[in-house]
Amino acid sequence: DDFISSPPRKTVRFGGTLTEILLKYEKGDTTDFELLKHQLSDPDIKDVQIINWLHEFRASVAYLTKELEQLVSILLKLPWLGRSREVVEEYLGFLGNLVSAQTVHLRPCLRMIVSHFVPPRITIREDDVDISDSDDDDENLSVSFNTCHRALQTVARYVPSTPQFLMPILVENFPFVNKSERTLECYVHNLLQVTVYLPTLRLQILELIIEKLLKLDVSTPQQDIEDAEETANNCNSEEKSTEEGLFDMEEDEGKKGNKVVSSSSERMAHPLAERLDILMTILFSYIKDVCYVNGKLDINNAKDLYRDLVSVFDKLILPTHASCHVQYFMFYICSFKLGLAEAFLDHLWKKLHDPNSPSVIRQTAGTYIGSFLARAKFIPVVTVKACLDLLVNWLHKYIDNQDTGTNAYCDVALHGPFYSTCQAVFYTLIFRHRQLLDGNLRKGLSYLQSLNFERIVMCQLNPLKICIPSVVNLFAAITRKYQLVFCYTIIERNNRQFIPVVRSGAGGDLVQTCTNPLDSFFPFDPYILKRSKKTIDPFYQFWEELSAEDLENLKKPITKGTSEDEDDDFLKGETPQNDGVVGIAQNPFESNTRSPVSSFGSPPGCYVPYP
C-alpha cells in the first residue's frame, strides 16, 4: 500500500532516466533502449509501472520523433483500458502531449483508439486448439467505450484536423459481416457516438453505416428470410412436441421455459438478417435520440438529420434495386412530422419529373412515391390528394406530348417514368380509395372522376400492359365498382398479345412472358425483421385480405342516382374503423407485389374475374 501510494519515481529501475536512454540510442547505444522496450512489452506490467513510464514519457515527448515510431507503437499497445483511474488519466494526458508535440503519430493514435470500438479478442482453448474470439460478455465494455471516446475527444481538441484523418480509419476498421452480432453492434454504436462530438463527420459516418447495411440487405432476399423462419418454426414445433411427450413439466418450470422461448423468438433464423435487425434497431434509436430532446421533438435537429439522411438516400438507396429494409430510415424520420414527409414526397417528385435524371432513377422515384403514399399511416388524405393531382396532371401532360408523336406506342425503354408513375397512382388508389371516398361518397366520386383515369388507361401508351398484373387487376376491380373506367376489355386484349412459351422441364406448362416489364418493386412492402419492426409497425399501413364478401362487392358497380342516405350506409359498411386509415394485413397480394421475382400472374386471393 505504501508503495502504491508513493509518488512515481523519476528514474527507471536500471538506473538511467528516459531522456538519457533516448540520447544514448541516438548515439548508437541500444542496450538500455532494448531493455526499455522489453519492459514496456511485459504482459504482466503493473499499474504503478505504467504510471511511472507514462509520467516520464509525457516529459520527453519532444524526443519521440518519427525515428522512434517503433517505441511509440509499443506505448500505444499498452493495456491501459480497464486499469485503475490513475492509469487511464495518465494515459489520456500522454496521448494529448504526444499528438500536440508530434502530429506524425496522429494516425497510429487514432488507429489504436478505434481498435477498441469492438469487444477485445480473447483466446479460448478447445481440444488443444487456440480459438480467437471476441469477448462479447465483458460487463465493463460500456466503461471502456466511454473512455475511448474521451481519448478521441482529447486528441481532437489538440489536433483540429483530426476528423479528416479519422474517417478513413473508421472505414478500414469496419468489421466484416461474418463477425459476431455483438462486434457489429458495438462498432456501429460507437460510430454513431462519434457523430455527437464530431458533427462534421455525421454525414460520412451515416453514409458508411447505411452502405454496410445495404450490402447486408441485398444479400438477404426477403424470400430467403421467410424460408429460414419457416424452417426454424418447423424445427421448434417438432422439438416442442417431442419434449411434451417425454417430460411432464412443473408449472413453475413451464413459466421459466416460456420466458426463454419468448426471448429466443426475438432472434431471426437467418444469420445475416439477425445482424441487419440489430443494426437497424440501433439506427432507429439514434434517429429518435437526435430528433427528440427530453421527450419533445426538436424540429431543427430533425431538419438537419433529415437533410443528411436524404443525401445518403440519394447516393445509396435510390440507385439500389430491390432493397427490403434499409430504406425504412426515411420512412421512420418522416413519421415525426408531416412537414418532413411532405418534403420527402416533394424531393421524390422533383426526381421523377426531372428530364435530366437517368430514366431508372426517375422510375425508382415513382415507385417510392406510390409505396410511401400507400403505406405511411401518418400521411393524411389531403396530402394524398395533392400528390395524386400532381402525378395525374403530369401523366395527362405526358400523354398530350406523346399521343400525336412518332413514339406514341407501348415501350418501356421510351416511357419508363410514365409507366412507373401510372403504377404509383394505381397502387395508391388501391390502398387509399376508401379514405378518398370517406365521409361523402358523391364528393369523393366527383374527385376521382376529375382525375380522368379513362384517358390514361385508354391512351396509346397502354399502361395496363406494363404495370404488374396484381396491381392492374385490383385497380380494374375498384375503378369498375365506382364506374370510373372499364379496364377489362384492354386487359383481355393485352393478354391475347402475350406469346406463351413452354417452361423448360415443367411438363409443357405454358407461362406468360415478361409479367413485370418495368422490373419494379415496392420499397415499403412489409417489414419483417422482428426487433426493428416494432419501431415501424405503429406507423405502417397493412394490407387487409379481401373476404369473399369484399370480392363480391367489388363486382357490384355503384349505380348512379344513389341517395345520400344510401351513400352513408355504404360507407358504414365499407370503411374500416382505424383512425380514418384503411386497415391492411398481409395476404397473397403481398407476395405478388413484393419483388419482381414473385410478381407473376394475379394474386389468388384478390383476383376479380372478368364480368
Side-chain angles (χ1 to χ4, degrees), residues 1 10 28 64 81 88 125 130 133 137 155 161 176 187 221 254 267 303 349 397 452 476 489 579 594:
D1 291 340
K10 293 295 187 291
L64 299 179
L81 278 173
V88 169
R125 194 164 185 80
D130 288 341
D133 197 4
D137 299 324
V155 172
S161 60
F176 293 113
Y187 194 79
R267 289 187 64 85
K303 284 180 181 177
W349 161 246
K397 286 179 183 176
N452 196 1
T489 307
D579 300 326
R594 183 174 298 129

Side-chain angles (χ1 to χ4, degrees), residues 382-520:
V382 63
T383 304
V384 174
K385 280 186 175 181
C387 290
L388 282 176
D389 288 339
L390 269 177
L391 296 172
V392 171
N393 285 338
W394 183 81
L395 290 175
H396 285 302
K397 286 179 183 176
Y398 193 94
I399 293 169
D400 289 339
N401 294 332
Q402 297 294 333
D403 256 5
T404 55
T406 56
N407 294 330
Y409 56 89
C410 185
D411 189 335
V412 176
L414 287 174
H415 310 295
F418 172 81
Y419 294 122
S420 181
T421 306
C422 286
Q423 186 160 277
V425 170
F426 299 164
Y427 192 66
T428 302
L429 185 71
I430 289 167
F431 273 81
R432 296 283 194 162
H433 70 278
R434 292 179 180 175
Q435 284 176 274
L436 292 168
L437 298 169
D438 194 10
N440 188 326
L441 180 60
R442 203 180 295 279
K443 189 176 179 182
L445 283 174
S446 176
Y447 168 73
L448 291 179
Q449 287 165 356
S450 72
L451 297 177
N452 196 1
F453 286 126
E454 185 172 5
R455 181 169 186 251
I456 296 170
V457 167
M458 301 290 185
C459 75
Q460 294 294 315
L461 302 181
N462 195 359
L464 296 185
K465 184 176 182 180
I466 301 300
C467 296
I468 290 174
S470 51
V471 174
V472 169
N473 284 324
L474 277 167
F475 173 76
I478 290 165
T479 52
R480 175 182 175 273
K481 176 180 175 65
Y482 297 107
Q483 298 188 0
L484 299 171
V485 59
F486 190 81
C487 302
Y488 291 110
T489 307
I490 298 171
I491 292 173
E492 286 179 338
R493 186 181 68 212
N494 290 338
N495 287 342
R496 284 196 296 270
Q497 290 174 358
F498 277 117
I499 301 173
V501 295
V502 178
R503 189 198 302 267
S504 176
D509 290 341
L510 296 180
V511 293
Q512 289 183 337
T513 58
C514 203
T515 53
N516 185 12
L518 272 176
D519 198 22
S520 57

Side-chain angles (χ1 to χ4, degrees), residues 318 348 351-352 360-370 420:
L318 209 52
L348 292 169
K351 293 274 183 191
L352 173 62
V360 66
I361 296 296
R362 296 175 67 190
Q363 286 176 225
T364 307
T367 64
Y368 269 93
I369 291 174
S420 181

Side-chain angles (χ1 to χ4, degrees), residues 188-396:
V188 169
H189 174 84
N190 284 313
L191 285 187
L192 293 172
Q193 187 67 31
V194 170
T195 67
V196 175
Y197 54 86
L198 294 178
T200 55
L201 286 182
R202 184 168 75 179
L203 177 58
Q204 295 175 71
I205 286 175
L206 286 171
E207 191 177 308
L208 169 62
I209 291 171
I210 289 169
E211 181 186 10
K212 300 296 182 180
L213 291 178
L214 200 54
K215 287 179 180 176
L216 268 176
D217 199 8
V218 297
S219 301
T220 51
Q222 202 155 348
Q223 192 60 51
D224 289 1
I225 297 174
E226 290 173 348
D227 290 345
E229 288 298 318
E230 186 178 351
T231 303
N233 289 337
N234 291 339
C235 292
N236 290 338
S237 299
E238 289 173 9
E239 288 174 9
K240 188 177 179 182
S241 61
T242 305
E243 286 177 5
E244 285 174 356
L246 292 174
F247 303 106
D248 291 324
M249 307 280 289
E250 292 182 8
E251 189 176 348
D252 58 340
E253 290 176 340
K255 289 178 182 175
K256 186 177 179 183
N258 287 338
K259 187 176 180 183
V260 174
V261 171
S262 174
S263 62
S264 65
S265 66
E266 291 285 306
R267 289 187 64 85
M268 300 295 298
H270 196 296
L272 294 183
E274 171 68 7
R275 288 163 172 76
L276 182 61
D277 193 10
I278 291 170
L279 300 184
M280 288 300 294
T281 304
I282 294 172
L283 182 59
F284 289 153
S285 298
Y286 172 78
I287 291 171
K288 185 167 186 180
D289 287 346
V290 170
C291 295
Y292 281 83
V293 179
N294 298 324
K296 187 178 179 182
L297 180 68
D298 186 313
I299 192 61
N300 291 323
N301 286 359
K303 284 180 181 177
D304 290 343
L305 182 59
Y306 168 83
R307 292 188 191 99
D308 285 346
L309 291 177
V310 162
S311 176
V312 177
F313 176 84
D314 285 349
K315 184 173 181 180
L316 298 176
I317 305 295
L318 209 52
T320 303
H321 180 69
S323 58
C324 298
H325 300 99
V326 179
Q327 60 267 22
Y328 270 89
F329 68 80
M330 286 307 306
F331 189 96
Y332 184 51
I333 193 171
C334 288
S335 70
F336 294 163
K337 186 85 173 173
L338 179 59
L340 297 176
E342 290 177 341
F344 184 50
L345 286 165
D346 182 60
H347 179 76
L348 292 169
W349 161 246
K350 287 174 181 174
K351 293 274 183 191
L352 173 62
H353 80 280
D354 178 12
N356 296 318
S357 290
S359 179
V360 66
I361 296 296
R362 296 175 67 190
Q363 286 176 225
T364 307
T367 64
Y368 269 93
I369 291 174
S371 197
F372 192 61
L373 288 174
R375 295 293 193 172
K377 250 186 193 180
F378 46 84
I379 296 182
V381 180
V382 63
T383 304
V384 174
K385 280 186 175 181
C387 290
L388 282 176
D389 288 339
L390 269 177
L391 296 172
V392 171
N393 285 338
W394 183 81
L395 290 175
H396 285 302

